[in-house]
Structures are given as structure tokens and as C-alpha cells.
Amino acid sequence: MAALGVATGGGNWFSALALGVTLLKCLLIPTYHSTDFEVHRNWLAITHSLPISQWYYEATSEWTLDYPPFFAWFEYALSHVAKYFDQEMLNVRNLNYCSSRTLLFQRFSVIFTDTLFVYAVHECCKCIDGKKAGRELTEKPKFILSVLLLWNFGLLIVDHIHFQYNGFLSGLMLLSIARLFQKRHMEGAFLFAVLLHFKHIYLYVAPAYGVYLLRSYCFTANKPDGSIRWNSFSFLRLISLGLIVFLVSALSLGPFLALNQLPQVFSRLFPFKRGLCHAYWAPNFWALYSALDKVLSVIGLELKFLDPSKIPKASMTSGLVQQFQHTVLPSVTPLATLICTLIAILPSIFCLWFKPQGPRGFLRCLILCALSSFMFGWHVHEKAILLAVLPMSLLSVGKAGDASIFLILTTTGHYSLFPLLFTAPEKKNLFLIGWKLSTSLAWGLWKSSVNLYSLSPLGS
């Protein structure tokens, strides 16, 4: 009863969850950090010390600026706070610089910007039907969703140990999804357009947004069988959406267009010479393909079918980001990965257009687009699995079937992130924390979803 009182007494439990995970993030400040820490320190220095005309040309460090312009301006804004912590971190030539003040600033900058993620989770909770929730707080869908998102183990690893800013970027995506659930389509489209100009990896899910907005916003009515009323198409709404995309893109890319630097910007954003697989292989189709090629090459050498002098020296398992030619199997090109990805997402796009199921149908399509791109994309980072895991959390609290899929996805997805934990203390302690957290959440999620499903019309 006490838990029920807390749950219905103004949502104090949400503040407690947010505060608790924030304190945990603070405890992770002393943990090791990856090269991404130096990447973002260098970007702070570039945007603070150099004019905009040199941002996408500067190459003193190997970690050149390769995010869209909005993220560059984000680093620029952070740099004006960073100078009060340690001015030396803003020197472009101070490669691999890391003072205690620099460490504190960069860690706290991630924690502070996660405020947007917390707000987005709060908005997503409003989109969850809680009428069929159990009496216990731990059985309430909004509580479970808040825990799954705020305490997401993958985000803790990637942002607060490995070091990145995925929290506030994921917050933009979740807030955009929430706005579409709330029928605020223009806001949802605007937020997603902004997100694309912060980090272009979200192009993976752009087809879901484009088809859903065209189908559910530009067409204002359906026939009784659910098919489109073609005469309900609104050119005004289409123009409004196009204007949003145009204005956001103009604000982002306009300065570089004026400087005649768009080709240089795009060459940084899409560096196809980095190779098919990332240094730490994402567990996707191309990892299996490359592993099979390695096995076949070993067998070929043992059976003397292959000439050792003709075997490429570059290795897919060296940990280096580089171009690579397969030994036995045909080498894969960026165009081939694009075709495979498009083929993989077509069924979900087809269903979204011809069998619309409202915002939940859009969310399913978004997740399938993210997974298809993860499985077949070019140079996929292992961290890209979070693009599917986080949105899937929203579906998982509704039906037992979705909960089962989520448990498999989040377990395998988070397990694939463990190579990011370099040192023994983090591997041991974070594994124990993650295991206990995952098992407790799994039981609560399964119990709640089964109860909800049994109470729904589909389960009766």
C-alpha cells in the first residue's frame, strides 16, 4: 500500500529514479575512458580555437571532426564553459591532454546534458496506457518503462564509462517519438530533423519517419478498410513538413554552403574508406561474413589452395579501422550494403504504408529499420544497437510477446557492448551490476506484461 501511495502521489518515484541514476553516473567519473574522450576534447579545441572555415579541415589530431554541424556548434557552446575549468584542454596541439579538471568537466557535461533524456523519458511515460496496471508500483508500466530507459545499462557503459553523448541524442529521438504519439506531428518532425543534424547515424530510421508522416499526416482520412483516401492528401501539410526540413538543413549546412565547403563536410560525415566493419565488430551479418572468409582462408592455406604471398596483410581482427579486401569471399562495397539494407527494411515500410497501425505501428517500423541497418549497414558501430533497444522499451511494457523480444534484444545487445569495458575492475563490477539489474528488471517486466496481456482484449 505504501508503494501504491508513492506511485499515485505525484510521481515522486520518477524523481527518485532519475536522481538515483544520476548519482550512479557520478560514481562512474573515475572509471577509465576510451579514445572518444580525446575525440570530444579535440572537438572542443577545434571549435573554440579555430574559425568555422577550418572546422572540417583541421587534421592535427587523427580524431578529426566528423559529426554534423549542429554537434559542432554543441561542442562550441560547451567549450565556452570548458575554458573556466582548464584553458589548456582547448589547445588544438595538446593532443591526448587530460587533466583532472578536464576529466571532471567532460564527465559532468554528459551528466548535465542527460537532463534532456530524463525529460524525454517522462514524456514517453505519458504515452503509455497505465489503466490496466497492477496494484504494486513495480507492476506499473510507467514505472517499468522509466527504469528500462533511465537505467539503461548500455547507455551507462557507452556514455559514462566509454564516453560519448548518446544520452541527450537519444533524448531527442524519444521526445520526437513521444510527440508523434501525442499527434503533434510538426514538433516530432522538427525534433527528428534537428537530431539528424546532430548525428547522422539516425538516418538509419529516417525511412520510418518519412513514410509515417506522409501516410498519417499528409493524408487526412482513410477508407473503412484502412486504405488511403487519395483525395484527402494535403499539399499544405506536405509543404509544411518540407519547410521544416529545409529550414533546419539551411541553418545547419548554410554557413558551409556559403563557404563552398559542403563536399568537405560530407567527406568527413561519410568516410567510406574506414572499411566494412568497425574496429570492434558489431555482431551483424558482415561479422559472420568476414569470420567465414577468415575460416575459408585458413582452410585454403592449410590445403595449399591459396598462395600465402597473395593474402592481404590488413586484418579484420587487428582492431584497426581500415579498408579490407576479403580473401576468399567477394569483397563487399558500400553500395552492396546499402542495397541489402534497403531490401531488409522494405517489408516494414510496406506494412507501415498499407497496414497502418498508428504510432505503435510507426514505432515497430522504426525499430525494424534500426535493426536492418545494424545488420547490413556499412561500418556499423556496436553502439548502434541502442537505436533499437531504447525504442523497443516502449513496446515491451504493452504485450508479453514484445516483452519476450525485448529481453532477447537487450540481453544480446548489451552483451555485445562488453568489449568496450577495457579494464578488469569495470568488467567484473559492471558485469555483476548489469546481471543483477537485468535479471530483476526481466522478472518485473515479464510479470507486468503477462498481467497486462491477460487483462487486454487480445488475451481474453
Side-chain angles (χ1 to χ4, degrees), residues 208-391:
Y209 274 89
V211 172
Y212 177 72
L213 288 170
L214 181 63
R215 177 66 175 81
S216 301
Y217 182 66
C218 294
F219 286 93
T220 59
N222 294 327
K223 295 179 181 178
D225 61 357
S227 60
I228 297 174
R229 288 190 182 274
W230 292 97
N231 60 358
S232 70
F233 181 75
S234 172
F235 282 101
L236 180 60
R237 292 190 173 190
L238 179 63
I239 292 172
S240 299
L241 289 174
L243 189 61
I244 286 176
V245 175
F246 173 78
L247 291 177
V248 171
S249 300
L251 184 61
S252 171
L253 301 174
F256 301 96
L257 178 62
L259 294 168
N260 197 28
Q261 291 186 359
L262 279 187
Q264 175 64 18
V265 173
F266 288 133
S267 70
R268 287 284 183 87
L269 298 184
F270 303 99
F272 291 114
K273 293 184 178 180
R274 288 188 175 183
L276 174 63
C277 294
H278 188 245
Y280 298 100
W281 288 11
N284 62 6
F285 177 81
W286 304 122
L288 297 175
Y289 186 88
S290 299
L292 177 60
D293 180 78
K294 184 70 174 179
V295 171
L296 292 176
S297 65
V298 171
I299 295 174
L301 289 172
E302 288 292 330
L303 299 178
K304 302 186 183 304
F305 292 151
L306 298 176
D307 184 355
S309 63
K310 296 182 179 181
I311 300 297
K313 293 182 179 180
S315 171
M316 290 290 287
T317 57
S318 66
L320 299 175
V321 178
Q322 58 188 330
Q323 285 184 303
F324 175 82
Q325 297 295 318
H326 290 93
T327 304
V328 179
L329 299 176
S331 294
V332 181
T333 64
L335 179 60
T337 63
L338 176 62
I339 293 173
C340 290
T341 302
L342 292 176
I343 292 174
I345 69 173
L346 276 178
S348 59
I349 294 297
F350 181 90
C351 289
L352 185 61
W353 180 266
F354 290 100
K355 298 180 180 179
Q357 298 176 0
R360 296 186 71 84
F362 155 74
L363 189 55
R364 291 183 187 277
C365 181
L366 181 148
I367 294 166
L368 290 170
C369 285
L371 287 174
S372 298
S373 300
F374 181 83
M375 291 301 297
F376 298 105
W378 176 268
H379 195 72
V380 176
H381 290 228
E382 67 287 334
K383 301 178 283 291
I385 193 62
L386 295 177
L387 269 70
V389 170
L390 295 174

Side-chain angles (χ1 to χ4, degrees), residues 35-47 50 54-69 71-72 75 92 95-96 164 198 200 264-274 321 379 381:
T35 53
D36 279 335
F37 184 89
E38 168 62 14
V39 170
H40 289 280
R41 185 216 59 81
N42 185 55
W43 293 358
L44 286 172
I46 289 174
T47 55
L50 301 176
Q54 297 181 33
W55 286 2
Y56 286 94
Y57 283 95
E58 166 59 35
T60 301
S61 168
E62 61 181 312
W63 312 118
T64 54
L65 181 60
D66 58 6
Y67 272 25
F71 200 94
E75 295 278 10
V92 175
L95 301 183
N96 299 311
Q164 279 192 354
F198 266 104
H200 50 305
Q264 175 64 18
V265 173
F266 288 133
S267 70
R268 287 284 183 87
L269 298 184
F270 303 99
F272 291 114
K273 293 184 178 180
R274 288 188 175 183
V321 178
H379 195 72
H381 290 228

Side-chain angles (χ1 to χ4, degrees), residues 144 400-401 403-404 407 441-452:
I144 296 173
S404 299
L407 290 178
L441 288 179
W443 172 249
L445 174 61
W446 177 259
K447 181 180 178 182
S448 176
S449 297
V450 169
N451 291 342
L452 289 172

Side-chain angles (χ1 to χ4, degrees), residues 386-405:
L386 295 177
L387 269 70
V389 170
L390 295 174
M392 187 67 198
S393 302
L394 277 73
L395 291 181
S396 67
V397 296
K399 293 183 179 180
D402 290 331
S404 299
I405 295 171

Side-chain angles (χ1 to χ4, degrees), residues 188-202:
F190 171 76
L191 289 169
F192 184 70
V194 170
L195 177 61
L196 283 179
H197 288 275
F198 266 104
K199 193 170 183 179
H200 50 305
I201 194 175
Y202 291 95

